[in-house]
Amino acid sequence: MDLINWQLIDRVRRNQKWADLVRSMKIMHGWLPIMHNLGKYKTITQCPGCEAQDETFLHLYQCNHRLMKKARTDAMDQIYESRKGKGVNRQFMDVFIRSITCGFTNSQIEVPHHPTELATAVRDQNKIGTGKMLQGYLAKTWQTALTKCGVKRDKASNTMTYLFKQIWNTLFQQLWDTRNHILHNTPNCYRTAESNNLDSKLLWYSENRYRLLSHGDADLADFDRDKIEHMGRKLKRKWVQHLDRLHKVFTLESKNLKEGQRTLTNIQRTRRPPNQRSKARARTRRQQRDQLAMARKKSKQSRLQVTITKLVSTTIQDREEQRIKDRNKKFSDKKEQKKIIQGKIQKYLQGTRPRRGASRPPEGIHPD
């Protein structure tokens, strides 16, 4: 740690914009969104530019894609030509470029015989790691060797800062832009590998759907090869994510059931040993049959009782109506009889009335 030029890193990052500051932090700590890091949750680390199975940070500088090779060559030529405007001699620049090239494969730099300061810088960088040079971890002795190779002491700090920026802003930036262009704008190896992986996963779910998913979700994984081949890559990815979630939930539920946890559908049931469950089921069925027979018997009795009640009420009502009719008839007979008697009395009185000119009988004497 003492060999690293931390002051150089601080000078470079102090004048960066926020986006460049975040990117430089990711470069230094290995947090770039390369496939090696994305594969921690995507399971695919395929390089988009070549057949390499794992795209690491150093693989950006090793990729065999023609566009990556061209970008790497152009960037190294641009860094080498930048020495002319800064007064850096060819000897220092050759060793510096060789150190960057060895960093592509993280191999050791051949130590030059002279000058001594340049050899010391190479040894220190070998101790730090040539691959770390690409991440910004340069040895302090590079600046000392720069002063011994013809650069003035007061300008050595600015020149070293300029060379440091070339590693990030020229070499890495060109490779990163080219890599993203291959990944997002051209047919690439990553898309092919991802599509094949999704196909195999969907077929695996389809063949083992009754073992991996619950019975209610098993029909969702009913795929065949023709149906999978006609799916787009995004649709395949969505289906795999959905089935992964269902498989995770089913696995968790199965684990909980083995541990004795009950679900909402049987939370009120008591767990019995397997040899007692059949007896309990038979007893439950008998109880259900008895309850059903009793309910039917009660229903039949209630219907019979309702019928009897209706008949009894109908009979009582008929008797009451007949009694009222008889009473009315008797009353009407008495009324008619009264009228007959009154008529007879009137006739009798009319028959005993004295005629005109006849003398009345004396008072107190009845005509009879």
Side-chain angles (χ1 to χ4, degrees):
M1 298 293 289
D2 295 335
L3 300 176
I4 299 173
N5 194 347
W6 297 107
Q7 294 180 355
L8 177 62
I9 297 173
D10 182 65
R11 284 198 304 271
V12 173
R13 298 186 76 240
R14 187 182 301 169
N15 298 323
Q16 285 182 331
K17 297 180 180 179
W18 176 253
D20 297 332
L21 194 65
V22 172
R23 176 170 293 181
S24 64
M25 179 183 65
K26 291 181 179 180
I27 293 172
M28 294 179 66
H29 297 283
W31 296 341
L32 284 169
I34 52 179
M35 295 305 168
H36 179 78
N37 293 332
L38 297 179
K40 294 176 182 178
Y41 63 92
K42 282 190 174 182
T43 69
I44 299 178
T45 59
Q46 174 69 45
C47 173
C50 64
E51 299 295 332
Q53 298 296 323
D54 190 10
E55 185 196 27
T56 60
F57 176 76
L58 290 180
H59 184 74
L60 292 174
Y61 303 90
Q62 303 169 6
C63 185
N64 294 325
H65 194 276
R66 58 180 184 84
L67 296 179
M68 295 293 287
K69 287 182 178 180
K70 184 177 183 302
R72 190 162 54 242
T73 303
D74 294 345
M76 294 300 293
D77 292 341
Q78 187 174 347
I79 294 173
Y80 188 80
E81 293 298 328
S82 66
R83 70 178 182 86
K84 297 179 181 179
K86 296 296 179 180
V88 181
N89 63 2
R90 180 171 296 179
Q91 185 180 13
F92 177 87
M93 204 64 189
D94 288 341
V95 176
F96 191 76
I97 291 294
R98 198 182 314 131
S99 302
I100 296 176
T101 307
C102 291
F104 295 168
T105 56
N106 201 20
S107 58
Q108 295 290 313
I109 313 168
E110 184 180 354
V111 181
H113 298 288
H114 55 80
T116 307
E117 290 78 6
L118 195 57
T120 304
V122 170
R123 291 192 190 95
D124 291 346
Q125 191 63 51
N126 283 334
K127 292 179 181 178
I128 297 171
T130 55
K132 295 294 183 181
M133 189 176 183
L134 301 174
Q135 293 180 254
Y137 299 107
L138 274 67
K140 294 179 181 178
T141 48
W142 282 112
Q143 187 170 336
T144 306
L146 193 61
T147 57
K148 295 296 182 180
C149 291
V151 180
K152 295 180 180 181
R153 188 179 296 274
D154 56 345
K155 294 183 178 180
S157 177
N158 294 334
T159 304
M160 200 66 214
T161 302
Y162 176 78
L163 294 176
F164 184 96
K165 288 181 179 180
Q166 291 296 310
I167 297 175
W168 278 355
N169 299 342
T170 301
L171 178 59
F172 171 78
Q173 189 65 42
Q174 291 187 17
L175 290 176
W176 186 248
D177 292 343
T178 305
R179 178 257 185 195
N180 290 334
H181 171 72
I182 295 172
L183 176 62
H184 299 293
N185 300 326
T186 62
N188 54 75
C189 299
Y190 176 78
R191 292 185 180 181
T192 304
E194 184 187 22
S195 182
N196 294 335
N197 184 49
L198 294 174
D199 291 348
S200 61
K201 271 196 170 184
L202 290 175
L203 285 174
W204 179 64
Y205 273 119
S206 178
E207 294 171 356
N208 304 280
R209 57 184 180 272
Y210 295 107
R211 183 173 58 88
L212 301 174
L213 305 174
S214 64
H215 291 285
D217 299 330
D219 293 338
L220 296 175
D222 188 10
F223 300 112
D224 54 5
R225 292 185 178 274
D226 294 336
K227 186 175 181 180
I228 294 174
E229 288 178 358
H230 287 85
M231 286 185 185
R233 188 165 51 94
K234 292 183 179 179
L235 182 58
K236 293 178 185 178
R237 193 185 302 123
K238 290 292 184 182
W239 267 113
V240 169
Q241 291 175 359
H242 184 59
L243 294 175
D244 286 341
R245 285 194 293 268
L246 294 176
H247 175 55
K248 184 177 179 180
V249 171
F250 176 67
T251 304
L252 182 61
E253 288 181 353
S254 302
K255 180 181 176 182
N256 293 336
L257 288 174
K258 288 181 180 179
E259 294 176 355
Q261 180 176 343
R262 290 172 289 174
T263 59
L264 290 175
T265 56
N266 63 355
I267 195 169
Q268 294 182 350
R269 301 178 185 174
T270 56
R271 299 284 292 179
R272 295 184 177 86
N275 56 351
Q276 296 182 5
R277 291 177 187 171
S278 57
K279 297 180 180 179
R281 292 194 189 99
R283 191 182 308 114
T284 303
R285 293 194 191 98
R286 286 197 299 270
Q287 292 175 357
Q288 290 177 354
R289 286 197 298 269
D290 294 342
Q291 291 175 359
L292 183 61
M294 185 63 69
R296 288 177 178 173
K297 185 176 180 180
K298 289 183 178 179
S299 177
K300 186 176 181 180
Q301 290 177 355
S302 62
R303 289 198 300 270
L304 181 61
Q305 186 176 1
V306 169
T307 305
I308 294 172
T309 305
K310 286 182 178 180
L311 290 174
V312 170
S313 61
T314 304
T315 305
I316 294 173
Q317 187 177 2
D318 292 342
R319 287 180 180 179
E320 186 68 21
E321 290 179 354
Q322 185 66 33
R323 188 179 65 81
I324 293 171
K325 287 181 180 180
D326 293 342
R327 188 184 64 183
N328 293 337
K329 184 177 181 181
K330 186 177 181 180
F331 179 77
S332 61
D333 292 343
K334 286 183 178 181
K335 200 172 181 181
E336 290 179 359
Q337 188 177 1
K338 186 177 180 181
K339 286 182 179 181
I340 293 170
I341 293 170
Q342 289 178 356
K344 287 181 178 182
I345 292 171
Q346 288 179 1
K347 287 181 179 181
Y348 176 76
L349 293 175
Q350 289 177 1
T352 58
R353 185 176 296 178
R355 298 178 181 177
R356 184 176 298 178
S359 60
R360 294 183 180 181
E363 292 183 0
I365 299 175
H366 197 272
D368 296 329

